Amino acid sequence: MRRPVTGEVRADYRQIYVVSDPHGEAIPDLAEAFAGQNTGLCGAAAPGALWLSTGLHTGNVGFVVEVHDAEPALDPVWEDVVEVSFHPLSERTLLMEWAGEATWDLGLARTGYRVRYCARGMDEGRRLDSRVSGEPQADSYLLQFWPAPPGADRVVRQTSREAAHRHRSARELPSPPTPEQRAETARLARQAEERAAEERRLHRERWEWGDRLPSERLRGVGGHVRGLLPFDSDLVPVMDAAGPDVQRAVASLAARRACEAAGLAGVSWVARALSALTEGRPLPPPFDDPARMWETLHSDPQVPIRSVRRAVPPERPPYRPLTSLVESGQRSAAAAEPWEQGGRRVGLGHALGAFTSRVPAGDEPIPTRVMGLGAVVLHAAGAQHRPERISQPHFAPPAVLAATGPDPLEAALDAVWHAVGTYGEHYPELLAEVRAACGGQVQE
C-alpha cells in the first residue's frame, strides 16, 4: 500500500476531484458526475473522473489517498462510506483542488479500480461552512483504490444527514448516457464544428472575393490573385471567364502597359522582350535570367528615373468575424483581409516591398535592394520612412516575366498585378483597359 496524498486538501464549493482526461483536465458538472448513481458522495458516472463531495464549503479538510493491491479492510472510524468503479483515461491521474489550484499525481495504472470514499464529520463541516487557518479540523476523508472489475456503485455506510441528503439528490438525477449515446453526441458535435468552420471559411471568402464565391479554378490558381482582389474584385472573375486566348492577350497587354508607364518600352532590350512576348516566342536575354535582368536594369543608363505614388486599393469596411455576428443574430458578407495589419490596410507596395520616400534628383545614384522579382526598396539617405512613391522601372519588368507563365490565367493575373504596382495611383486607367479587353461584365 502507498499513500500519494496525506495531510490536508482545500475544498471549494464542497468539491474536490480526481481527473485523468488525456486531452485536458476536464471536470464534469455535478449532474453528469452523479447521473444514475445510488451514491451522492463520489460521482463516477463521467468516464475518467471522480467528483468528491465534502461537508465543508470552503477551507482545508483532512485528506488521505491510498492505493492498495487488493481490497483493504474497512475501518469502523469512518461514518459515511461509498464505493464506485473507476478507470483512468490516461497515464496520469491527478487529485485536484477546485480550478486546478493544486494537484497531486496518484500514480495509477490504466486499469480498472474499485474506489472507496470514506468520510467523517460531514455534518460538522456543513455547520462550520468555512474554515480559516488556525481553526480545528471539522471533517476528514479517505480515498482508497484497488484493482477490481467494474461494478455498481453502492452505499456501504451512512451516518450523517449531509450524506443522506446527497444520496437522495443523486437518485433523483436521470441515468447517464450510454456509450453509444456519448459517441453519437460526439459525432454530432464534430459535424456541427465542421459546418461552423466551413461557414466561417465561406463567410471570409465571400468578403475577400467581393461578396461572391470564386470558381474552383480561381481557388486553385497560384500567384498574386489575392493581391489583385482588393483593387478590383469584380475584374478577377471576368478574367477567369475570359478563356486562355484572352488571358494571354491580357497578360501581354499588362506587361506592355507597365513598361510604357515605367518609360522602359523604348529601351532596346525591353523592347525586344515585348516583341517576343507579343509573338509568343521565348523571352530574349537578359529576361531569360532574372538575376541578369536586374543587373542590366541597374546598370543600363537608358533606364529612366521615374516614380509615382503607390497604388492604394479602395477602402472597404473592416472585417467582422462571423462568430460575433452569429451571436448577435446577424449575417454579413464581410471577411478578414489578409492584407490588413493592425487595423490599417497594407497597400500593394507593402506586399512587394518596393518604395522610395522621395524621387532621386539628377544623376543621384539609386541604392537598391532586390526582393524577389520586381520588388526593389529605394531608400533616401539610407533611412526608411513611410512609403510615399515607388520606382516604376523596378515594378515593370516582373510583369513581363509573369506574362510568360505556363498557366494563362495565372500569367494574366500576375502581369496585371505587377502592372497595377507600376501604374501606382493611376492604376484605375489600366484596370479599365484590362476590363475592356476581357469583355467587360462580371460572370455570375
Side-chain angles (χ1 to χ4, degrees):
M1 184 267 289
R2 58 185 180 85
R3 288 180 172 170
V5 180
T6 181
E8 290 189 339
V9 172
R10 180 178 175 84
D12 283 279
Y13 304 100
R14 300 187 175 90
Q15 302 166 30
I16 302 171
Y17 320 99
V18 172
V19 295
S20 66
D21 180 6
H23 305 296
E25 295 155 357
I27 306 298
D29 61 31
L30 187 146
E32 183 182 8
F34 290 94
Q37 286 196 176
N38 189 49
T39 64
L41 296 186
C42 182
L50 298 175
W51 178 304
L52 308 173
S53 299
T54 63
L56 192 71
H57 182 279
T58 306
N60 287 358
V61 297
F63 209 98
V64 174
V65 178
E66 296 179 347
V67 182
H68 297 260
D69 295 329
E71 180 179 356
L74 176 59
D75 192 329
V77 71
W78 298 105
E79 301 168 349
D80 295 287
V81 181
V82 299
E83 288 182 4
V84 299
S85 291
F86 173 73
H87 196 294
L89 296 182
S90 73
E91 302 297 333
R92 191 163 182 253
T93 301
L94 305 176
L95 181 74
M96 178 183 292
E97 294 180 350
W98 188 83
E101 293 179 354
T103 61
W104 295 260
D105 193 335
L106 302 185
L108 299 181
R110 292 188 65 178
T111 188
Y113 289 93
R114 193 65 175 171
V115 179
R116 180 183 292 159
Y117 186 46
C118 309
R120 180 175 57 194
M122 288 197 77
D123 286 343
E124 184 179 351
R126 177 77 182 195
R127 285 191 297 270
L128 181 60
D129 188 66
S130 298
R131 179 189 173 204
V132 297
S133 179
E135 290 185 331
Q137 193 177 90
D139 46 344
S140 57
Y141 301 87
L142 170 66
L143 185 65
Q144 297 174 311
F145 295 84
W146 67 92
D153 69 295
R154 70 188 186 105
V155 176
V156 178
R157 183 180 298 161
Q158 178 186 309
T159 302
S160 68
R161 295 176 60 185
E162 177 67 13
H165 167 70
R166 290 185 173 273
H167 293 329
R168 285 194 302 271
S169 298
R171 291 161 191 162
E172 294 172 356
L173 295 172
S175 299
T178 64
E180 294 75 17
Q181 289 172 328
R182 290 183 186 275
E184 178 64 9
T185 298
R187 185 186 69 83
L188 294 175
R190 287 194 301 271
Q191 281 187 347
E193 177 54 35
E194 289 169 0
R195 286 195 299 270
E198 179 64 7
E199 187 178 358
R200 290 192 295 269
R201 185 188 70 80
L202 293 176
H203 177 262
R204 171 175 178 150
E205 194 172 58
R206 283 192 183 93
W207 190 88
E208 183 181 0
W209 291 81
D211 201 20
R212 67 174 60 81
L213 292 178
S215 67
E216 289 304 314
R217 180 76 183 86
L218 281 173
R219 281 197 182 99
V221 73
H224 298 289
V225 59
R226 284 177 170 78
L228 187 57
L229 277 174
F231 290 92
D232 193 337
S233 60
D234 288 342
L235 178 58
V236 173
V238 170
M239 295 173 65
D240 178 33
D245 291 341
V246 174
Q247 290 160 359
R248 284 295 180 194
V250 165
S252 180
L253 171 68
R256 180 170 295 277
R257 293 293 184 262
C259 291
E260 291 171 350
L264 294 176
V267 177
S268 58
W269 53 275
V270 177
R272 288 194 297 270
L274 292 176
S275 296
L277 183 60
T278 302
E279 297 166 8
R281 294 183 287 105
L283 294 179
F287 280 89
D288 58 342
D289 181 352
R292 185 180 172 192
M293 179 198 74
W294 287 116
E295 291 173 2
T296 305
L297 180 73
H298 298 157
S299 62
D300 189 347
Q302 298 180 79
V303 174
I305 296 175
R306 185 176 295 188
S307 70
V308 69
R309 290 189 181 276
R310 66 182 175 91
V312 178
E315 290 295 328
R316 61 191 306 183
Y319 173 55
R320 295 180 62 194
L322 181 61
T323 51
S324 64
L325 298 177
V326 170
E327 291 169 1
S328 62
Q330 303 175 26
R331 287 292 186 271
S332 170
E337 286 184 283
W339 51 85
E340 285 192 351
Q341 298 176 1
R344 177 175 60 83
R345 181 184 299 277
V346 179
L348 174 68
H350 275 285
L352 286 174
F355 300 104
T356 177
S357 59
R358 64 182 178 86
V359 183
D363 296 327
E364 180 181 346
I366 306 175
T368 61
R369 178 166 59 91
V370 177
M371 303 282 287
L373 296 181
V376 178
V377 180
L378 303 184
H379 301 288
Q384 286 185 319
H385 302 282
R386 179 176 176 82
E388 292 291 341
R389 304 183 72 86
I390 62 97
S391 171
Q392 290 176 290
H394 291 90
F395 269 75
V400 179
L401 295 175
T404 63
D407 184 316
L409 176 58
E410 183 175 339
L413 292 167
D414 282 4
V416 171
W417 186 71
H418 286 294
V420 165
T422 309
Y423 267 65
E425 62 183 321
H426 306 298
Y427 75 85
E429 301 170 14
L430 169 74
L431 296 185
E433 187 172 3
V434 170
R435 182 183 293 275
C438 289
Q441 298 300 316
V442 177
Q443 304 297 314
E444 296 291 349

